[in-house]
Amino acid sequence: MELVFRKPTLEDQEQIDHYYRQANSRSCEDTFANLYLWNRMYPTEFAIVKDMLVLKSAGKDFFFRFPKGSPEHVKEVVEIMADYAREQNCPFKMGVVTPKQFELLEELFPGRFQVEYNRDDADYVYEREKLANLSGKKYHGKKNHVNKFLRTYPDWKFEPITDENVEECFQMALIWRNENGCDEEGGKLAEMCVTLNSLRLMKELKLTGACLRVNGKVVAFTVGEPLCDDTFVVHIEKALTQIEGAYPMINQQFVKMAMEDFLYVNREEDTGDEGLRQAKLSYRPAFLVEKGVVRERAELCGF
């Protein structure tokens, strides 16, 4: 079967979202907004195969994502993907594969595949109610930061991002970029490009955002979206560090504003950054969404 891959555009959003909804995944990558916004940094192409979404990294040494759609088509589509890789003289592999997806692979192809998980890529998932209330001894420190913010900045305001204030968020993001040396580090610069584009395309990508004001000025903002039936994902959260408590404050307020209908909040991975890891662990995740790379076992793959 001939596969024809192409770069996703905004016009493909409804079709691609259709398959993501069927997948009902808690992995932060599994939204159209994430796919579209990071496509410059990680070029990815897509094709619809047997009524499933197949994603493939661009380039000669490519890898697939686990196919999205009805589970009954997975076996046939994986075989088609493997055949395509062989035709292109490229070892077959899939990235960003969760344990649940690998279990299905094992059921369909006993012993054919192996998986290697990377702790740095694991998403942190929290109980929404706990992030909203910060109650109990485990959240005592976080609650203290919020209470200090409330005492220090009694004129604070929290509001949704709209056409009227999005430019102020954009300007705050530029300040954050300069204060955090983004222009000197490729990864940070790419993240900042994604941040600015998420603000610019909030309506088109159906994202939800909010900002925090102190003395009338925007000092923090955040952006996210529904991820699956019970989970909301926070893609972006930026705050000026000189405003003590701005991060825990906007975290809590956004959970209260945007996530009432969800059980869980996915706050994405730590990318191996030790400081970020400790910060994410300090909020006591309910569980991690592990993600790994799947390859055919050496004795079977023929390479």
Side-chain angles (χ1 to χ4, degrees):
M1 179 179 181
E2 183 180 2
L3 301 187
V4 179
F5 290 92
R6 62 183 178 86
K7 180 180 178 180
T9 67
L10 285 174
E11 288 70 31
D12 299 309
Q13 181 173 10
E14 185 175 345
Q15 181 184 37
I16 290 175
D17 271 341
H18 165 74
Y19 292 103
Y20 277 135
R21 284 193 296 270
Q22 288 188 62
N24 203 33
S25 167
R26 290 201 185 104
S27 176
C28 72
E29 288 85 1
D30 287 341
T31 74
F32 177 82
N34 186 286
L35 173 68
Y36 185 81
L37 289 168
W38 282 99
N39 211 35
R40 180 177 295 182
M41 180 72 173
Y42 303 109
T44 303
E45 303 166 332
F46 83 98
I48 304 302
V49 182
K50 300 292 182 180
D51 199 30
M52 295 199 82
L53 173 67
V54 175
L55 298 169
K56 178 184 75 68
S57 62
K60 189 175 181 180
D61 185 21
F62 60 84
F63 66 91
F64 293 99
R65 300 278 187 89
F66 194 88
K68 305 293 188 292
S70 299
E72 61 263 27
H73 299 304
V74 169
K75 185 171 185 177
E76 183 179 6
V77 172
V78 169
E79 290 285 19
I80 291 171
M81 291 158 58
D83 289 343
Y84 177 89
R86 280 190 285 271
E87 290 168 5
Q88 303 298 316
N89 198 32
C90 181
F92 175 66
K93 59 182 175 181
M94 287 186 285
V96 199
V97 177
T98 66
K100 183 177 179 181
Q101 291 167 344
F102 187 70
E103 285 178 13
L104 179 56
L105 277 180
E106 274 290 278
E107 180 183 326
L108 297 174
F109 304 97
R112 177 172 171 179
F113 297 103
Q114 58 189 3
V115 63
E116 182 179 354
Y117 295 107
N118 184 347
R119 173 64 176 80
D120 297 349
D121 295 333
D123 291 347
Y124 292 77
V125 180
Y126 306 84
E127 293 178 54
R128 186 209 66 84
E129 183 272 335
K130 290 184 178 179
L131 292 190
N133 297 323
L134 298 177
S135 56
K137 290 183 178 179
K138 292 181 179 180
Y139 293 97
H140 183 70
K142 301 298 181 187
K143 191 78 171 213
N144 283 345
H145 286 306
V146 169
N147 288 337
K148 185 175 182 180
F149 177 93
L150 294 173
R151 291 194 304 270
T152 306
Y153 308 107
D155 67 337
W156 70 277
K157 290 183 179 179
F158 179 83
E159 58 196 42
I161 296 178
T162 64
D163 290 343
E164 287 68 38
N165 60 25
V166 68
E167 178 60 26
E168 293 177 88
C169 296
F170 201 94
Q171 294 303 318
M172 196 224 90
L174 297 179
I175 294 172
W176 192 95
R177 181 183 71 178
N178 293 334
E179 291 182 348
N180 288 271
C182 294
D183 293 340
E184 286 78 45
E185 188 176 326
K188 283 186 177 181
L189 184 59
E191 181 188 352
M192 183 49 58
C193 288
V194 168
T195 297
L196 297 176
N197 283 330
S198 72
L199 291 172
R200 183 171 63 87
L201 297 170
M202 278 195 67
K203 283 186 176 180
E204 291 85 346
L205 295 174
K206 303 175 185 176
L207 296 169
T208 299
C211 62
L212 185 65
R213 292 183 184 273
V214 166
N215 299 326
K217 295 184 180 298
V218 172
V219 298
F221 67 88
T222 184
V223 176
E225 63 177 322
L227 179 56
C228 64
D229 291 346
D230 64 2
T231 306
F232 190 98
V233 58
V234 178
H235 290 306
I236 294 161
E237 185 180 86
K238 302 296 181 195
L240 301 180
T241 54
Q242 60 266 36
I243 307 298
E244 190 175 353
Y247 272 113
M249 186 66 179
I250 196 166
N251 180 345
Q252 184 194 46
Q253 294 300 310
F254 194 43
V255 168
K256 288 183 174 182
M257 181 199 86
M259 308 175 206
E260 187 175 358
D261 296 332
F262 298 90
L263 291 175
Y264 299 108
V265 182
N266 182 320
R267 291 182 56 80
E268 301 195 343
E269 69 274 40
D270 60 37
T271 67
D273 182 285
E274 190 57 35
L276 188 56
R277 178 167 298 184
Q278 292 308 312
K280 289 181 181 289
L281 287 172
S282 71
Y283 273 98
R284 309 290 180 169
F287 56 88
L288 303 181
V289 178
E290 293 183 284
K291 290 170 281 187
V293 175
V294 165
R295 295 179 174 86
E296 291 187 279
R297 295 188 182 276
E299 63 270 20
L300 299 175
C301 68
F303 289 97

